[in-house]
Amino acid sequence: MHPRTVGEIVKENLVRLRKGRGVLARDLESRVRPEFAELFGATTDTGSVLRQKVIGYLEELMVALPTQWRRAARCGLNLPPSTDGETLQQRLSVLAAEFFCDERTARRRMDEAFLQMAGNADRGQVPMPGVGHGGIGWYVDIFDAVLRLDTANPEAIERRTIVATAGSLDRIETSIDVPRHPSNHSTRVELTREMMFGGVVAGTGMGSSTNFSTEIILPRTLRRGERHTYGLIARIPPGQEMVNRYVYVPYRQCRYFTLLVRFPPNNVPQRIWRHEGVPHSAVHDEPKPGSELEPNLANEVSAQFRDLINGCAYGIQWR
Protein backbone atom coordinates (compact mmCIF):
# COMPACT_ATOMS: atom_id res chain seq x y z
CA MET A 1 0.00 0.00 0.00
CA HIS A 2 1.44 3.35 -1.07
CA PRO A 3 1.53 6.30 1.38
CA ARG A 4 -1.01 8.95 0.53
CA THR A 5 -0.07 11.91 -1.63
CA VAL A 6 -0.41 15.52 -0.55
CA GLY A 7 -3.48 15.81 -2.79
CA GLU A 8 -5.16 12.81 -1.20
CA ILE A 9 -4.57 14.22 2.29
CA VAL A 10 -5.99 17.59 1.24
CA LYS A 11 -9.03 16.11 -0.49
CA GLU A 12 -9.98 14.01 2.55
CA ASN A 13 -9.68 16.98 4.88
CA LEU A 14 -11.65 19.31 2.61
CA VAL A 15 -14.56 16.90 2.83
CA ARG A 16 -14.22 16.77 6.62
CA LEU A 17 -14.00 20.56 6.89
CA ARG A 18 -17.12 21.40 4.87
CA LYS A 19 -19.52 19.72 7.31
CA GLY A 20 -21.65 21.86 9.59
CA ARG A 21 -20.24 25.37 9.98
CA GLY A 22 -17.16 24.54 7.91
CA VAL A 23 -13.95 26.28 8.98
CA LEU A 24 -15.94 28.26 11.55
CA ALA A 25 -16.93 25.12 13.46
CA ARG A 26 -16.13 25.04 17.17
CA ASP A 27 -14.62 21.56 16.86
CA LEU A 28 -12.14 22.56 14.16
CA GLU A 29 -9.22 21.08 16.09
CA SER A 30 -10.76 17.61 15.98
CA ARG A 31 -11.44 17.88 12.26
CA VAL A 32 -7.91 18.82 11.24
CA ARG A 33 -5.86 15.64 10.97
CA PRO A 34 -2.16 15.88 11.99
CA GLU A 35 -0.88 15.09 8.48
CA PHE A 36 -3.05 17.89 7.08
CA ALA A 37 -1.88 20.38 9.74
CA GLU A 38 1.73 19.52 8.90
CA LEU A 39 1.24 20.87 5.37
CA PHE A 40 0.94 24.44 6.67
CA GLY A 41 3.00 24.27 9.86
CA ALA A 42 0.13 24.03 12.34
CA THR A 43 0.74 20.71 14.10
CA THR A 44 0.84 22.31 17.56
CA ASP A 45 -1.61 25.18 17.01
CA THR A 46 -5.10 25.48 18.47
CA GLY A 47 -8.00 27.93 18.57
CA SER A 48 -7.88 31.11 16.48
CA VAL A 49 -4.25 30.54 15.44
CA LEU A 50 -5.14 27.17 13.92
CA ARG A 51 -8.23 28.64 12.24
CA GLN A 52 -6.20 31.45 10.66
CA LYS A 53 -3.61 29.01 9.32
CA VAL A 54 -6.28 26.66 7.93
CA ILE A 55 -8.04 29.55 6.18
CA GLY A 56 -4.74 30.94 4.86
CA TYR A 57 -3.74 27.58 3.39
CA LEU A 58 -7.16 27.05 1.78
CA GLU A 59 -7.01 30.54 0.28
CA GLU A 60 -3.64 29.68 -1.27
CA LEU A 61 -5.04 26.52 -2.82
CA MET A 62 -7.85 28.50 -4.47
CA VAL A 63 -5.75 31.27 -6.01
CA ALA A 64 -5.67 29.87 -9.55
CA LEU A 65 -9.17 28.35 -9.60
CA PRO A 66 -11.74 29.58 -12.14
CA THR A 67 -14.32 31.91 -10.63
CA GLN A 68 -17.15 29.36 -10.39
CA TRP A 69 -15.01 26.69 -8.72
CA ARG A 70 -13.55 29.26 -6.33
CA ARG A 71 -17.07 30.36 -5.37
CA ALA A 72 -18.15 26.73 -4.86
CA ALA A 73 -15.15 25.99 -2.65
CA ARG A 74 -15.59 29.12 -0.54
CA CYS A 75 -19.27 28.39 -0.06
CA GLY A 76 -18.72 24.74 0.81
CA LEU A 77 -15.98 25.49 3.35
CA ASN A 78 -17.84 28.51 4.76
CA LEU A 79 -14.78 30.72 4.41
CA PRO A 80 -15.20 34.19 5.93
CA PRO A 81 -16.70 36.60 5.27
CA SER A 82 -19.53 34.11 4.86
CA THR A 83 -23.30 34.63 4.84
CA ASP A 84 -24.21 31.41 3.01
CA GLY A 85 -25.57 29.43 5.95
CA GLU A 86 -24.71 27.65 9.19
CA THR A 87 -25.03 24.15 7.72
CA LEU A 88 -23.77 22.48 4.58
CA GLN A 89 -27.33 21.90 3.41
CA GLN A 90 -28.11 25.62 3.69
CA ARG A 91 -25.00 26.51 1.74
CA LEU A 92 -25.82 23.96 -0.96
CA SER A 93 -29.24 25.59 -1.37
CA VAL A 94 -27.65 29.03 -1.72
CA LEU A 95 -25.13 27.74 -4.26
CA ALA A 96 -27.79 25.89 -6.27
CA ALA A 97 -29.89 29.07 -6.54
CA GLU A 98 -26.85 31.11 -7.53
CA PHE A 99 -25.76 28.59 -10.19
CA PHE A 100 -29.34 27.93 -11.41
CA CYS A 101 -29.04 24.19 -10.79
CA ASP A 102 -30.26 21.57 -8.33
CA GLU A 103 -28.45 20.80 -5.09
CA ARG A 104 -26.93 17.60 -6.44
CA THR A 105 -25.22 19.56 -9.18
CA ALA A 106 -24.12 22.21 -6.67
CA ARG A 107 -22.47 19.50 -4.56
CA ARG A 108 -20.75 18.18 -7.68
CA ARG A 109 -19.35 21.68 -8.32
CA MET A 110 -17.95 21.68 -4.79
CA ASP A 111 -16.36 18.27 -5.34
CA GLU A 112 -14.81 19.45 -8.62
CA ALA A 113 -13.39 22.51 -6.85
CA PHE A 114 -11.94 20.31 -4.10
CA LEU A 115 -10.27 18.10 -6.72
CA GLN A 116 -8.64 21.15 -8.26
CA MET A 117 -7.46 22.33 -4.86
CA ALA A 118 -6.03 18.88 -4.14
CA GLY A 119 -4.21 19.01 -7.47
CA ASN A 120 -2.77 22.41 -6.57
CA ALA A 121 -1.59 20.98 -3.25
CA ASP A 122 0.18 18.12 -5.04
CA ARG A 123 2.10 20.76 -7.00
CA GLY A 124 2.76 22.96 -3.97
CA GLN A 125 -0.17 25.41 -4.46
CA VAL A 126 1.25 26.64 -7.76
CA PRO A 127 2.67 24.45 -10.50
CA MET A 128 6.16 23.55 -9.27
CA PRO A 129 8.33 21.95 -11.94
CA GLY A 130 10.69 20.32 -9.44
CA VAL A 131 13.70 21.85 -11.17
CA GLY A 132 16.69 22.98 -9.16
CA HIS A 133 20.33 22.56 -8.31
CA GLY A 134 21.01 18.85 -7.97
CA GLY A 135 18.53 17.51 -10.52
CA ILE A 136 14.87 17.61 -11.48
CA GLY A 137 11.70 15.86 -10.36
CA TRP A 138 11.06 17.10 -6.81
CA TYR A 139 10.60 20.12 -4.60
CA VAL A 140 10.88 20.82 -0.88
CA ASP A 141 7.51 21.09 0.85
CA ILE A 142 8.77 21.56 4.41
CA PHE A 143 12.34 22.24 5.58
CA ASP A 144 12.78 22.16 9.35
CA ALA A 145 16.25 22.93 10.74
CA VAL A 146 17.61 23.04 14.29
CA LEU A 147 21.08 24.54 14.71
CA ARG A 148 22.72 23.55 17.97
CA LEU A 149 25.54 25.77 19.13
CA ASP A 150 25.45 24.37 22.68
CA THR A 151 27.23 21.16 21.67
CA ALA A 152 30.98 20.48 21.49
CA ASN A 153 30.85 21.32 17.78
CA PRO A 154 28.07 23.13 15.90
CA GLU A 155 25.57 20.78 14.29
CA ALA A 156 22.53 21.34 12.11
CA ILE A 157 19.72 18.81 12.37
CA GLU A 158 17.85 19.13 9.08
CA ARG A 159 14.52 17.48 8.34
CA ARG A 160 13.07 17.86 4.86
CA THR A 161 9.75 16.71 3.45
CA ILE A 162 9.95 16.53 -0.32
CA VAL A 163 7.29 15.97 -2.98
CA ALA A 164 7.96 14.11 -6.21
CA THR A 165 6.98 15.88 -9.44
CA ALA A 166 8.53 13.30 -11.73
CA GLY A 167 6.71 10.12 -12.71
CA SER A 168 9.12 8.23 -10.47
CA LEU A 169 11.87 9.36 -8.13
CA ASP A 170 14.32 7.02 -6.39
CA ARG A 171 17.19 9.33 -5.44
CA ILE A 172 17.91 13.00 -4.83
CA GLU A 173 20.92 15.26 -4.41
CA THR A 174 21.01 18.02 -1.82
CA SER A 175 23.74 20.43 -0.80
CA ILE A 176 24.79 22.79 1.96
CA ASP A 177 27.18 25.74 1.86
CA VAL A 178 29.62 26.33 4.73
CA PRO A 179 31.02 29.86 4.45
CA ARG A 180 34.66 30.27 5.36
CA HIS A 181 35.17 32.02 8.72
CA PRO A 182 37.02 35.35 8.37
CA SER A 183 39.82 34.02 10.59
CA ASN A 184 40.37 31.03 8.27
CA HIS A 185 42.72 32.17 5.51
CA SER A 186 44.28 28.89 4.46
CA THR A 187 42.73 25.82 6.09
CA ARG A 188 40.28 23.86 3.96
CA VAL A 189 36.64 24.05 5.05
CA GLU A 190 35.23 20.69 6.15
CA LEU A 191 31.80 19.25 6.97
CA THR A 192 30.62 15.83 8.11
CA ARG A 193 27.16 14.47 7.29
CA GLU A 194 25.13 11.74 8.97
CA MET A 195 21.89 10.29 7.68
CA MET A 196 19.37 10.12 10.55
CA PHE A 197 16.50 8.46 8.70
CA GLY A 198 14.65 8.33 5.41
CA GLY A 199 17.44 7.33 3.05
CA VAL A 200 20.93 6.03 2.43
CA VAL A 201 23.90 8.22 1.54
CA ALA A 202 25.09 7.05 -1.87
CA GLY A 203 27.85 9.58 -2.29
CA THR A 204 29.22 12.98 -1.34
CA GLY A 205 30.95 15.68 -3.32
CA MET A 206 31.84 19.35 -3.49
CA GLY A 207 30.26 21.90 -5.80
CA SER A 208 32.86 24.48 -4.73
CA SER A 209 35.45 24.92 -2.00
CA THR A 210 32.63 25.61 0.48
CA ASN A 211 29.67 23.70 -1.01
CA PHE A 212 29.04 20.11 0.08
CA SER A 213 26.64 17.85 -1.84
CA THR A 214 25.02 14.62 -0.70
CA GLU A 215 23.39 12.03 -2.95
CA ILE A 216 20.61 10.19 -1.14
CA ILE A 217 18.94 6.94 -2.23
CA LEU A 218 15.33 6.96 -1.09
CA PRO A 219 13.91 3.93 0.76
CA ARG A 220 11.55 3.30 -2.13
CA THR A 221 10.64 4.88 -5.45
CA LEU A 222 8.19 7.75 -5.13
CA ARG A 223 5.43 8.35 -7.65
CA ARG A 224 4.26 11.80 -8.71
CA GLY A 225 2.67 13.71 -5.85
CA GLU A 226 4.00 11.47 -3.08
CA ARG A 227 5.73 12.97 -0.07
CA HIS A 228 8.77 11.66 1.75
CA THR A 229 10.59 12.90 4.84
CA TYR A 230 14.27 12.38 5.58
CA GLY A 231 16.65 13.66 8.24
CA LEU A 232 20.30 14.63 7.91
CA ILE A 233 22.80 15.96 10.47
CA ALA A 234 25.58 18.28 9.30
CA ARG A 235 28.47 18.90 11.72
CA ILE A 236 31.32 21.38 11.79
CA PRO A 237 34.48 19.40 12.70
CA PRO A 238 36.54 20.16 15.84
CA GLY A 239 38.77 23.21 15.58
CA GLN A 240 36.88 24.78 12.67
CA GLU A 241 35.08 28.02 13.49
CA MET A 242 31.59 28.68 12.19
CA VAL A 243 30.40 32.00 10.81
CA ASN A 244 27.78 33.88 12.83
CA ARG A 245 24.73 32.86 10.83
CA TYR A 246 22.59 30.05 9.45
CA VAL A 247 21.18 31.25 6.16
CA TYR A 248 19.28 29.17 3.62
CA VAL A 249 19.40 30.24 -0.03
CA PRO A 250 17.07 27.89 -1.95
CA TYR A 251 17.92 26.89 -5.51
CA ARG A 252 14.84 24.68 -5.66
CA GLN A 253 11.23 25.45 -4.79
CA CYS A 254 10.63 25.42 -1.03
CA ARG A 255 7.17 26.08 0.39
CA TYR A 256 7.86 26.30 4.11
CA PHE A 257 11.08 26.72 6.11
CA THR A 258 11.40 26.85 9.87
CA LEU A 259 14.64 27.42 11.75
CA LEU A 260 15.51 27.19 15.45
CA VAL A 261 18.92 28.21 16.82
CA ARG A 262 19.96 27.12 20.31
CA PHE A 263 22.84 29.05 21.91
CA PRO A 264 25.04 27.94 24.83
CA PRO A 265 23.84 29.54 28.09
CA ASN A 266 27.22 31.17 28.71
CA ASN A 267 27.53 32.65 25.21
CA VAL A 268 24.24 34.17 24.09
CA PRO A 269 24.85 36.90 21.48
CA GLN A 270 23.86 40.48 22.24
CA ARG A 271 22.15 40.94 18.88
CA ILE A 272 20.20 38.34 16.92
CA TRP A 273 18.16 39.03 13.79
CA ARG A 274 16.38 37.31 10.92
CA HIS A 275 16.77 37.53 7.16
CA GLU A 276 13.71 37.01 4.98
CA GLY A 277 13.86 37.07 1.19
CA VAL A 278 16.89 39.36 0.99
CA PRO A 279 19.98 39.25 -1.27
CA HIS A 280 22.66 37.07 0.27
CA SER A 281 24.93 40.12 0.49
CA ALA A 282 22.62 41.42 3.25
CA VAL A 283 24.55 39.22 5.69
CA HIS A 284 27.24 41.91 5.61
CA ASP A 285 24.80 44.69 6.57
CA GLU A 286 23.37 45.93 9.85
CA PRO A 287 20.04 44.42 10.95
CA LYS A 288 16.91 45.91 9.40
CA PRO A 289 14.46 47.64 11.76
CA GLY A 290 12.01 45.10 13.17
CA SER A 291 14.15 42.08 12.29
CA GLU A 292 15.76 41.52 15.70
CA LEU A 293 14.90 38.45 17.78
CA GLU A 294 14.91 37.88 21.55
CA PRO A 295 16.06 34.50 22.90
CA ASN A 296 13.72 32.63 25.23
CA LEU A 297 14.59 31.07 28.59
CA ALA A 298 16.11 28.09 26.78
CA ASN A 299 18.49 30.46 24.91
CA GLU A 300 16.68 29.74 21.65
CA VAL A 301 15.33 31.85 18.81
CA SER A 302 13.23 30.70 15.88
CA ALA A 303 11.83 31.97 12.61
CA GLN A 304 9.38 30.67 10.01
CA PHE A 305 9.24 31.45 6.29
CA ARG A 306 6.67 30.59 3.65
CA ASP A 307 6.83 30.41 -0.17
CA LEU A 308 10.55 31.05 -0.44
CA ILE A 309 11.99 32.79 -3.49
CA ASN A 310 14.84 30.97 -5.21
CA GLY A 311 18.18 32.74 -4.84
CA CYS A 312 17.11 34.87 -1.85
CA ALA A 313 18.38 34.45 1.71
CA TYR A 314 16.35 33.25 4.69
CA GLY A 315 17.66 32.58 8.16
CA ILE A 316 19.12 33.90 11.42
CA GLN A 317 22.29 35.85 12.13
CA TRP A 318 23.88 36.98 15.38
CA ARG A 319 26.67 39.09 16.77
Side-chain angles (χ1 to χ4, degrees), residues 260-262 268 294-302:
L260 184 145
V261 181
R262 182 179 174 91
V268 179
E294 288 291 332
N296 60 25
L297 294 178
N299 307 306
E300 299 168 347
V301 293
S302 62

Side-chain angles (χ1 to χ4, degrees), residues 75-199:
C75 181
L77 296 165
N78 202 26
L79 289 172
S82 174
T83 57
D84 296 323
E86 292 290 303
T87 68
L88 177 58
Q89 188 59 50
Q90 290 173 344
R91 295 194 297 277
L92 282 170
S93 297
V94 170
L95 195 64
E98 189 174 319
F99 285 179
F100 301 101
C101 64
D102 57 33
E103 292 180 7
R104 181 178 297 180
T105 302
R107 182 184 287 271
R108 191 162 59 246
R109 294 289 181 269
M110 284 185 188
D111 292 339
E112 291 169 352
F114 289 175
L115 281 174
Q116 291 297 314
M117 292 170 70
N120 288 343
D122 260 338
R123 297 187 295 269
Q125 287 90 73
V126 294
M128 289 188 175
V131 176
H133 178 68
I136 64 174
W138 59 283
Y139 68 87
V140 180
D141 188 45
I142 302 169
F143 176 22
D144 179 64
V146 175
L147 175 64
R148 295 196 60 185
L149 300 175
D150 62 335
T151 52
N153 301 294
E155 66 177 34
I157 304 168
E158 300 182 339
R159 180 179 183 269
R160 287 177 173 86
T161 298
I162 65 172
V163 179
T165 60
S168 64
L169 182 72
D170 59 4
R171 66 181 60 208
I172 62 172
E173 182 178 317
T174 185
S175 66
I176 184 172
D177 204 71
V178 183
R180 188 182 300 274
H181 193 275
S183 65
N184 184 356
H185 301 293
S186 58
T187 307
R188 178 179 174 179
V189 175
E190 299 285 355
L191 183 74
T192 64
R193 285 144 289 178
E194 176 189 348
M195 199 82 208
M196 285 196 300
F197 64 89

